[in-house]
Amino acid sequence: MIPYALADYQTICARKLIDAGADAILGHHPHILKGVELYRGKPIFYSLGNFAIGQPHDWDPDILRTPSFRHLINLHPEWDLTQQYMLPENTRYTGLAKLLIDRNGRLECRFCPAWIDDRCVPHLLCALDPQFGTIRAFLEESNRAAGIASSIAQEADELVIS
């Protein structure tokens, strides 16, 4: 859940997968939105964030008292255990990867920002929603911090990655 930074292996592995023939990489697991780049014309989404996530105490309230969960909380004292969605605000930033291929085989890479509400339900955002701009800025900062040169432009309610 560390914002912006990529693990050393992520860039290496993602690029090797593209070199081996993958047309796109759709990363996940860090529980936070990460940067997106085009490598050899193919998209690498390092992490799409928490699009579909339930809070563990929803399905097992006793989990809050387990030693492993208490240890996790010690690592993240900013988590608010009184909230339904207890994870940090930036873990609510997510979205959909949208890959369009034209008749000539050219690929266009887009991202549709979404925000996760208190009930863990993701909502696609329109460009007029203030969260849309927040997520775009977060994605741009993720790219900058990771040294990713992709540009992000807005077209209607989507972000175009080039």
Side-chain angles (χ1 to χ4, degrees):
M1 289 185 225
I2 299 171
Y4 314 127
L6 297 176
D8 295 339
Y9 70 88
Q10 286 179 280
T11 304
I12 295 166
C13 290
R15 291 178 176 179
K16 286 192 180 286
L17 288 166
I18 297 289
D19 291 340
D23 291 319
I25 306 297
L26 303 175
H28 65 90
H29 190 75
H31 296 285
I32 195 166
L33 185 63
K34 298 284 184 171
V36 58
E37 74 172 321
L38 295 178
Y39 172 71
R40 297 179 64 194
K42 300 190 177 176
I44 301 171
F45 288 86
Y46 284 101
S47 175
L48 291 168
N50 285 333
F51 192 80
I53 186 169
Q55 298 296 286
H57 58 288
D58 284 345
W59 44 270
D60 182 4
D62 291 335
I63 201 166
L64 298 176
R65 292 185 289 281
T66 64
S68 60
F69 192 82
R70 299 308 308 164
H71 177 69
L72 185 61
I73 292 301
N74 286 335
L75 296 174
H76 298 280
E78 72 280 7
W79 290 7
D80 186 349
L81 299 182
T82 66
Q83 299 295 314
Q84 179 68 21
Y85 188 94
M86 68 176 70
L87 301 176
E89 181 69 18
N90 59 16
T91 66
R92 294 176 185 256
Y93 309 159
T94 187
L96 299 175
K98 184 176 182 180
L99 306 177
L100 306 168
I101 302 171
D102 70 15
R103 291 182 181 169
N104 297 318
R106 288 186 301 254
L107 179 71
E108 185 176 309
C109 177
R110 293 174 174 251
F111 180 74
C112 305
W115 186 81
I116 300 171
D117 71 16
D118 291 338
R119 295 177 303 117
C120 301
V121 176
H123 299 274
L124 289 174
L125 301 172
C126 73
L128 297 175
D129 189 306
Q131 289 292 353
F132 186 98
T134 300
I135 293 170
R136 177 182 179 175
F138 189 86
L139 190 57
E140 289 172 330
E141 180 58 22
S142 293
N143 278 359
R144 189 199 63 69
I148 296 171
S150 299
S151 71
I152 299 171
Q154 182 180 329
E155 187 174 297
D157 294 334
E158 299 177 347
L159 300 176
V160 180
I161 313 299
S162 58

